[in-house]
């Protein structure tokens, strides 16, 4: 890598500009050394330059930090991953009393607890925000019965954040600082906006695909209660150091057994494309690159996008932090080249419709699918192709007008839908039909399982 730093800097500059990403920071761990690069600007309005010590919002990569705290508590014997959450947190509840009694920390860590993703609740700025969030979540329906499928669930990570608070006697923010940031020397990692003001902080940018985005109306549009599932603020190098701790077997922060457990596959993923996932461990997204195992996570924070990949056999970790634009396309091209050269990894090609679409029977797939906040209706168009209407309802009803998409078949159960935007998919969004272990049919959009509620002619 040292001899290639200039070449990778040029490639980062080139791809960042091509995909309309205002600013990016890249950190690469190889041969035990961390190399840092930056490109572009932190804020298109002010022109402040992106530097290697700049900090970015990392979105859902925060889940891996929360999972690490949970595993510390399991290490110490303070938490049993397979005992019901209500044993530690009696106030935790769902509208299904029987399901509530069975949901475990292990299920929440691996997204198999059935809890939903799209419950964003502003519980205020106080230290009680997670307690208030968990109380408000009692009335939020499950996506599916616990243990029947993986369904990406941020709500579960806030429940875990509250478990951490109860068992440590600290806020989630302070526990993260005392138990991970400080021991690892992560002095460019934090959770609160007022802490980020000490550093060069990236501004979120929003806009249409294929154009230079504009600064967002606010630096961070998420409430404080999003912390355990969505707000760790970090430099790229600090995030690589966090990954390096996992590569090193825990470095005294975690036991080697806990590190291994986090990387052990808990569940396979029917949707292998939305976040490049083949399976899920305890916190980590798991990848299988033609037989080469890896782990990592993606993050999105309303205008900032982050990508972390680790290849254990090569001792390689790569972090890319961005502040808008076609970030996913930048990640896909850059990481294919970097991981190929440094770790012999061949990442999958972009998700696309089949060159020769298979002939399939649409009838079993047609119907209405529903989960909290979303109704999905799959019908047959006049030309015989499948059509999907993705409608926001309940508390999400004002988020966006309904999305209308034609589904192009890739296999009998996997379809490609256009119009999702390059930060969430490489041109085409995967729509995957599957069946829960209890026999209920469902459709995956954005890694969320939405069960079928009605058939349709």
């Amino acid at each position: 890598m040292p001899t290639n730093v200039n070449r990778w800097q040029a490639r980062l500059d080139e791809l960042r500009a091509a995909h309309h990403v205002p600013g990016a920071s890249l950190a690469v761990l190889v041969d035990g050394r961390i190399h840092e690069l930056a490109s572009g600007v932190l804020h298109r309005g002010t022109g402040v330059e992106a530097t290697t010590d700049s900090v970015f919002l990392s979105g859902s990569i925060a889940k891996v930090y929360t999972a690490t705290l949970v595993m510390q508590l399991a290490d110490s014997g303070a938490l049993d991953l397979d005992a019901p959450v209500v044993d530690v947190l009696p106030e935790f509840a769902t509208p299904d009393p029987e399901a509530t009694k069975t949901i475990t920390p292990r299920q929440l860590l691996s997204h198999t607890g059935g809890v939903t993703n799209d419950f964003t609740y502003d519980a205020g700025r106080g230290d009680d925000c997670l307690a208030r969030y968990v109380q408000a979540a009692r009335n939020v329906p499950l996506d599916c019965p616990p243990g029947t499928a993986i369904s990406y669930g941020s709500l579960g990570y806030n429940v875990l954040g509250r478990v951490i608070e109860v068992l440590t006697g600290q806020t989630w923010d302070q526990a993260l600082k005392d138990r991970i940031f400080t021991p690892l020397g992560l002095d460019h990692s934090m959770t609160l906006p007022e802490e980020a003001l000490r550093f060069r902080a990236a501004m979120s940018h929003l806009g249409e695909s294929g154009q230079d985005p504009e600064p967002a109306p606010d630096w961070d549009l998420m409430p404080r209660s999003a912390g355990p599932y969505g707000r760790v603020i970090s430099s790229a190098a600090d995030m690589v150091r966090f990954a390096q701790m996992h590569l090193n077997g825990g470095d005294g922060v975690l036991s080697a057994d806990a590190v291994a457990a986090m990387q052990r596959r808990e569940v396979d993923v029917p949707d292998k494309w939305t976040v490049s996932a083949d399976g899920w461990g305890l916190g980590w997204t798991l990848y299988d690159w033609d037989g080469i195992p890896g782990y990592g996570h993606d993050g999105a924070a309303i205008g900032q996008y982050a990508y972390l990949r680790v290849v254990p056999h090569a001792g390689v970790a790569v972090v890319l932090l961005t502040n808008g634009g076609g970030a996913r396309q930048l990640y896909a091209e850059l990481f294919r080249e970097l991981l190929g050269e440094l770790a012999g990894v061949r990442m999958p090609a972009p998700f696309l419709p089949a060159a020769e679409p298979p002939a399939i029977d649409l009838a079993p797939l047609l119907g209405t699918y529903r989960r909290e906040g979303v109704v999905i209706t799959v019908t047959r168009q006049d030309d015989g192709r499948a059509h999907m209407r993705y409608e926001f309802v309940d508390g999400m009803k004002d988020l966006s007008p309904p999305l209308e998409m034609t589904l192009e078949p890739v296999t009998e159960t996997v379809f490609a839908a256009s119009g999702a935007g390059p930060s969430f998919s490489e041109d085409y969004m995967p729509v995957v039909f599957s069946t829960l272990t209890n026999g209920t049919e469902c459709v995956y959009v954005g890694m969320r399982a939405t069960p079928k509620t009605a058939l349709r002619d």
Side-chain angles (χ1 to χ4, degrees):
M1 178 73 185
T3 59
N4 297 331
V5 169
N6 290 340
R7 177 162 56 85
W8 286 117
Q9 179 69 61
R11 192 66 177 133
L12 175 63
D13 293 340
E14 178 185 11
L15 291 173
R16 180 197 58 74
H19 295 300
H20 303 278
V21 174
S25 184
L26 176 72
V28 179
L29 169 70
V30 61
D31 296 329
R33 290 187 58 198
I34 297 173
H35 306 273
E36 304 173 59
L37 300 86
S39 179
V41 296
L42 297 177
H43 191 308
R44 290 192 63 234
T46 64
V48 173
E49 183 182 7
T51 54
T52 55
D53 62 350
S54 300
V55 298
F56 291 71
L57 291 161
S58 66
S60 285
I61 295 178
K63 291 180 173 69
V64 186
Y65 291 78
T66 297
T68 301
L69 284 175
V70 170
M71 296 306 288
Q72 281 186 343
L73 294 170
D75 262 347
S76 71
L79 180 67
D80 182 346
L81 296 182
D82 297 305
V85 170
V86 290
D87 286 0
V88 176
L89 206 60
E91 63 270 33
F92 168 66
T94 76
D96 183 339
E98 292 307 308
T100 300
K101 295 175 187 175
T102 69
I103 295 171
T104 66
R106 183 181 301 277
Q107 290 177 326
L108 297 182
L109 287 168
S110 59
H111 299 287
T112 57
V115 299
T116 197
N117 190 73
D118 299 313
F119 180 63
T120 300
Y121 176 74
D122 189 345
R125 286 276 301 158
D127 286 351
D128 63 346
C129 65
L130 289 183
R132 295 179 61 197
Y133 180 101
V134 170
Q135 188 67 30
R138 296 169 64 91
N139 299 317
V140 179
L142 297 169
D143 283 357
C144 53
T148 60
I150 184 170
S151 187
Y152 194 74
S154 288
L155 186 156
Y157 272 78
N158 265 12
V159 173
L160 292 170
R162 181 60 185 150
V163 166
I164 290 163
E165 292 187 335
V166 168
L167 292 179
T168 64
Q170 299 178 293
T171 62
W172 170 82
D173 308 87
Q174 193 64 44
L176 195 56
K177 185 179 297 183
D178 290 352
R179 292 166 169 261
I180 295 179
F181 295 163
T182 299
L184 293 177
L186 306 184
D187 56 7
H188 279 63
S189 298
M190 65 227 71
T191 61
L192 297 172
E194 56 267 30
E195 297 171 328
L197 288 173
R198 294 183 296 138
F199 303 100
R200 296 170 72 100
M203 182 69 185
S204 298
H205 291 74
L206 301 169
E208 295 299 316
S209 173
Q211 300 176 14
D212 288 335
E214 294 299 323
D218 294 296
W219 177 72
D220 183 3
L221 293 163
M222 297 189 300
R224 181 180 175 185
S225 56
Y229 70 70
R231 192 194 290 101
V232 164
I233 307 158
S234 176
S235 67
D238 260 19
M239 190 169 287
V240 161
R241 292 184 186 99
F242 171 73
Q244 188 175 26
M245 176 269 288
H246 284 269
L247 267 174
N248 290 346
D251 279 344
V253 171
L254 273 185
S255 70
D257 285 347
V259 167
M262 290 181 70
Q263 299 169 30
R264 193 173 300 126
R265 187 173 295 213
E266 292 281 330
V267 62
D268 292 334
V269 178
D271 174 1
K272 299 181 183 301
W273 301 275
T274 296
V275 291
S276 311
D278 291 291
W280 227 276
L282 299 178
W284 289 118
T285 310
L286 305 180
Y287 314 108
D288 181 347
W289 295 301
D290 287 338
I292 298 177
Y295 56 91
H297 213 286
D298 292 356
I302 316 180
Q304 299 193 43
Y305 307 95
Y307 305 90
L308 165 60
R309 296 293 182 270
V310 183
V311 190
H313 88 90
V316 167
V318 183
V319 167
L320 175 68
L321 306 178
T322 70
N323 62 348
R328 188 164 178 84
Q329 291 171 315
L330 165 60
Y331 140 77
E333 289 191 55
L334 187 62
F335 277 44
R336 281 190 189 107
E337 297 174 19
L338 270 173
L339 294 184
E341 178 174 320
L342 300 178
V345 163
R346 187 169 67 185
M347 291 178 67
F351 178 76
L352 297 169
E356 297 183 13
I360 62 169
D361 179 11
L362 286 178
L365 310 179
L366 304 180
T368 301
Y369 302 75
R370 179 162 187 147
R371 61 179 172 83
E372 174 68 11
V374 171
V375 173
I376 297 170
T377 308
V378 180
T379 56
R380 193 192 309 269
Q381 295 180 168
D382 291 341
D383 62 6
R385 294 186 296 174
H387 178 272
M388 182 176 78
R389 178 183 174 90
Y390 191 97
E391 184 178 5
F392 296 97
V393 296
D394 307 323
M396 304 268 288
K397 66 180 184 300
D398 298 322
L399 185 68
S400 164
L403 307 176
E404 308 279 355
M405 294 175 241
T406 297
L407 304 183
E408 306 285 351
V410 178
T411 70
E412 288 188 351
T413 57
V414 179
F415 292 75
S418 60
S423 292
F424 299 97
S425 60
E426 295 165 48
D427 299 323
Y428 289 89
M429 181 175 72
V431 176
V432 182
F433 295 87
S434 185
T435 304
L436 309 183
T437 56
N438 67 355
T440 301
E441 296 172 13
C442 72
V443 62
Y444 279 90
V445 178
M447 275 291 295
R448 284 81 151 164
T450 307
K452 182 181 274 190
T453 58
L455 300 175
R456 193 175 184 92
D457 297 333

